[in-house]
Amino acid sequence: MHAQISPSILSADFANLERDLHRISRADWAHVDVMDNHFVPNLTLGLPVVRRIIEVSPVPIDVHLMIEAADRWAVDYAHAGAASVTFHAEAAQAAVRLAREIRAAGARASIALRPATPVEPLLDLLPEFDMVLVMTVEPGFGGQAFIEGTLPKIRRLRAAIDEQGADTWIQVDGGVSRDTVETVAAAGANVFVAGSAVYGADDPNAEIDALRGLADGALARR
């Protein structure tokens, strides 16, 4: 299991998105947050902009839908060419059906959990999802402090995945930096969303390499 880094373009310059996508060319993914100002108290961008981002990005696009109408819109992002589409468990009416539709459309199907949402209802359904995103801050805004209380959830999820032999990744999003990436990797996560830590660095690609190295070291010691 190797660490993957997915910088969030929420911390990029929205007036120069193509430039800032190329500043993270050594990333495994580019994390694109879609917010509707209903599910979360913030509004970002929608399908037309994401479609264009997919066309110009040097790395695969990892779409994170923080929207109420996940069942209505998620598959459209897969059809647009997103490599991974994540919807929230709290917003989906039929999570397994939606995940299967996303996979059928050619993308990895992922499900996200707010910090206070329990992981237990998903544990018997892990093969239905390519990735589980454990939010380590409240979704909606970048730059928040990491919530330590999410670590037991990550550990329980990793134990269930390992016990079942499932090929489900664990992504963490929120407060990921050099100060926290080893901790969440040691808990069992292997995909790391970092926004301000990457885009706030003088050299984003060098920061990506540093985060990946720290996470890989922690994963190797598990």
Side-chain angles (χ1 to χ4, degrees):
M1 185 168 59
H2 296 286
Q4 302 178 56
I5 307 299
S6 184
S8 171
I9 67 166
L10 192 62
S11 297
D13 181 352
F14 273 33
N16 295 280
L17 277 180
E18 183 173 2
R19 181 203 68 188
D20 277 7
L21 283 164
H22 283 272
R23 293 179 70 207
I24 59 166
S25 59
R26 292 214 292 271
D28 299 279
W29 308 82
H31 191 82
V32 177
D33 292 304
V34 176
M35 307 183 194
D36 64 358
N37 201 33
H38 295 285
F39 183 73
V40 292
N42 197 3
L43 184 66
T44 54
L45 39 80
L47 186 59
V49 177
V50 174
R51 184 179 288 114
R52 183 66 180 130
I53 287 170
I54 290 166
E55 292 173 352
V56 302
S57 175
V59 295
I61 295 300
D62 167 29
V63 171
H64 178 192
L65 298 177
M66 287 173 266
I67 62 175
E68 284 187 346
D71 298 84
R72 162 67 182 85
W73 289 106
V75 178
D76 288 347
Y77 286 87
H79 285 306
S84 176
V85 177
T86 301
F87 59 89
H88 269 263
E90 305 89 353
Q93 299 299 311
V96 171
R97 181 178 66 198
L98 183 55
R100 291 178 177 183
E101 291 173 347
I102 291 169
R103 281 177 168 173
R108 292 179 60 87
S110 308
I111 190 165
L113 304 172
R114 288 178 181 264
T117 300
V119 70
E120 281 71 20
L122 293 182
L123 298 185
D124 291 332
L125 301 170
L126 289 174
E128 298 288 348
F129 304 104
D130 296 299
M131 183 170 71
V132 178
L133 165 54
V134 177
M135 292 297 301
T136 47
V137 298
E138 288 293 345
F141 295 93
Q144 299 182 63
F146 180 81
I147 298 173
E148 293 278 345
T150 58
L151 290 171
K153 183 192 299 187
I154 297 168
R155 296 187 188 104
R156 291 195 298 274
L157 179 57
R158 171 52 61 194
I161 290 170
D162 291 348
E163 181 180 355
Q164 296 177 32
D167 187 25
T168 306
W169 299 347
I170 301 176
Q171 185 178 67
V172 291
D173 182 358
V176 174
S177 67
R178 295 194 194 198
D179 293 332
T180 58
V181 70
E182 291 178 285
T183 300
V184 287
N190 64 303
V191 187
F192 307 88
V193 178
S196 54
V198 169
Y199 277 109
D202 291 335
D203 185 340
N205 270 324
E207 191 65 19
I208 288 165
D209 289 343
L211 291 171
R212 187 186 289 114
L214 289 170
D216 270 334
L219 287 170
R221 293 190 294 272
R222 288 189 74 250

